[in-house]
Amino acid sequence: MAPQTLPVLIAGAGPTGLVAALTLRQNGIPVRIIDKVPEPPFGSRGAGIQPRTLEVYKLLGVLPDILKHGTPTPPFHIYNYPEGKEIIKEFFLSPRSYPTPGMPFYNPMLLGQDIACGILRSHLSKYDCHVEFGSELRALEQHDDHVVAHIVRAGGPNGSEETFSASYVIGSDGARGAVRKLLGLQFDGVTRDDAGIILGDLRATNLPRDCWAGWGPNGKPIFSVLPRYSHDDDTFWVTLMAFDKDVDYDRLVRHPEEFKAVVQKITGRPDIEILEFLSLAFIRFNIRMVKEFQRGRVFVAGDAAHVHSPAGGQGLNSSVMDAFNLAWKISLVHKGAASPTLFASYTAERAPVIEKMLKLSTETLDKTVGNDDDGWKRGTRFYQLDTNYRGSPIALEGRGEDVPAPPANMYTFGDLGRVRAGDRAPDAPNLLDLKDPAAAGLARFYDLFTPTKHTVLIFSDRAAAADEVVSALGGYPAGLVQSVAVLPAMTSVREGLVLPKADFVVKDTDRHAYEGYSADHTKAEPTVAVVRPDSFVGATGRGVATVKEYFSRIFA
């Protein structure tokens, strides 16, 4: 093996790689993360953060900083054409709604990807892990027990070459990155010749800051601007839809003065002055994905595994879900707590979800290209709150009922019904901590869930029944499983009450936990739900037998 060795090498330091690195470091796994760009890129791409991603950020401890810098989606104003000053239509791409007990984050946020990545890097630095910019992965050699990576670092006339050994490699280096190509993975799909987009950040005067503004013929926004609220008042994110085959959009990017002229024509606003281009790029839409997310000890995630149009704002969010799904599995396998066969669930779980996501985003793109007003409508279908892994080889539905087939579209929001194994784990607020009466305020499940452990929820009003489950957990690796005994709302906390021996004992004061997990405290065996480190339900069932059967699929 090469002399420099770490458990995991991550190639690509966008949101995908950073979430993977942060999750692994929180699990105590040393990580090296590299990126070929010389410095952190500037730009707003991937600005939409969906509710499910906000939940992941909470679990990783970065949510307060995301909320501090992010903003809700403002109203969208379409201006008249060609004068460009009168508002002819106002709507919300994602109408504001109210959270529910099981879904605490129910509205998307907007935050430029450059700011979001900066936040993730700052949290990663707390674990003594820093992105090595200007380092490019050029080649990989897989062996039975390690991977050798050939890395070229910027500097000098030819740079400096390095050979590095890692137990595993994660390719999060984007659609044009090296890892997928080095693995020989087919990137099946199509390139759309009828649609593309120019994305950029710029400084300009006389643009509105109280809305997301759009201009275009027939009330269809071809050019739009969104204020970058995290920057100076003259800074905006702009998009120009590339639908006209007679326009050379590559030339517009190469010649910003011509881009300015197009903006003047579309908006009819000579008073809008573009002062400076901060970023500008033309993107031709590709709709592609790999069939395998893993080859040997090397994995692909995010844009390295799937690309699509930005319609619906799913790219960054799907990429974060890839990383969060994969990282806890690598952690367990590297620690020797799980068999490498656990990795098979990565492709099995993520590939069907991504396939549905590509279909959803492409349908939205087609409506946008076809000037269908529905192409601008968003909402719960895009929130990823009911993305599920039902049917996963490691999911266990053990409550005795026949497990239904996955929903027709496992990627979009529908009637959740009873929580099944493979579903996102619902939250439950207003939980009274009975083991620590001095604890300030009320807890919620998403305060207890953690990316470093499985959480076994035990629903019972009998301490002895709950303790049987807790005792069964003693046979699993220390520090990788935690227990939460959930007492029903009608429990009266009296002096001398014997509490279960779980790590946490809470009272479900508002019944949200029991209702959210369809639990019944009257049964002889307690209802149990095993929540994975990525806050998906790994198993549901009753008593010790469910716990043992599920963990037999996870731990070696």
Side-chain angles (χ1 to χ4, degrees), residues 347-428:
T347 295
E349 291 178 347
R350 292 304 298 164
V353 170
I354 296 302
E355 185 177 354
K356 297 296 183 181
M357 182 272 290
L358 294 182
K359 180 179 179 182
L360 173 64
S361 60
T362 302
E363 288 174 350
T364 305
L365 172 65
D366 289 341
K367 291 177 180 178
T368 304
V369 173
N371 285 329
D372 186 334
D373 286 343
D374 286 344
W376 290 93
K377 292 181 181 179
R378 303 295 183 263
T380 55
R381 293 192 308 151
F382 299 88
Y383 289 0
Q384 301 196 15
L385 288 170
D386 69 343
T387 297
N388 71 81
Y389 304 141
R390 294 182 183 182
S392 163
I394 59 173
L396 172 63
E397 178 58 50
R399 283 186 289 194
E401 300 88 356
D402 291 334
V403 181
N409 190 340
M410 65 199 305
Y411 194 77
T412 61
F413 190 92
D415 181 9
L416 293 182
R418 175 158 51 192
V419 172
R420 299 280 185 173
D423 291 348
R424 162 199 165 274
D427 195 8

Side-chain angles (χ1 to χ4, degrees), residues 211-227:
C211 66
W212 194 334
W215 291 266
N218 304 315
K220 308 299 181 182
I222 295 175
F223 175 72
S224 68
V225 297
L226 175 68

Side-chain angles (χ1 to χ4, degrees), residues 73-214:
T73 306
F76 200 107
H77 289 176
I78 298 179
Y79 289 84
N80 65 326
Y81 182 86
E83 292 82 7
K85 291 187 177 182
E86 178 186 349
I87 300 172
I88 59 173
K89 185 182 296 185
E90 178 182 22
F91 61 95
F92 282 89
L93 273 77
S94 298
R96 304 293 291 169
S97 188
Y98 295 99
T100 68
M103 300 177 182
F105 308 107
Y106 209 66
N107 293 290
M109 300 288 293
L110 290 173
L111 182 61
Q113 185 168 306
D114 50 1
I115 301 298
C117 285
I119 291 171
L120 290 168
R121 287 195 302 270
S122 69
H123 282 264
L124 187 58
S125 69
K126 299 175 184 178
Y127 297 90
D128 195 27
C129 183
H130 306 273
V131 177
E132 299 175 34
F133 289 103
S135 296
E136 182 178 0
L137 178 66
R138 293 283 182 87
L140 291 170
E141 299 171 8
Q142 292 214 53
H143 301 268
D144 290 342
D145 58 353
H146 68 284
V147 183
V148 175
H150 297 269
I151 300 170
V152 174
R153 297 174 61 86
N158 298 315
S160 59
E161 297 186 7
E162 175 189 355
T163 301
F164 184 83
S165 177
S167 297
Y168 303 99
V169 173
I170 298 175
S172 53
D173 49 351
R176 297 180 180 179
V179 175
R180 184 188 67 253
K181 298 173 184 176
L182 292 171
L183 291 180
L185 296 174
Q186 287 191 326
F187 211 27
D188 296 331
V190 299
T191 298
R192 293 286 293 262
D193 294 326
D194 62 334
I197 192 170
I198 291 180
L199 299 175
D201 297 84
L202 51 75
R203 294 176 52 246
T205 61
N206 297 318
L207 286 172
R209 289 191 56 80
D210 61 344
C211 66
W212 194 334

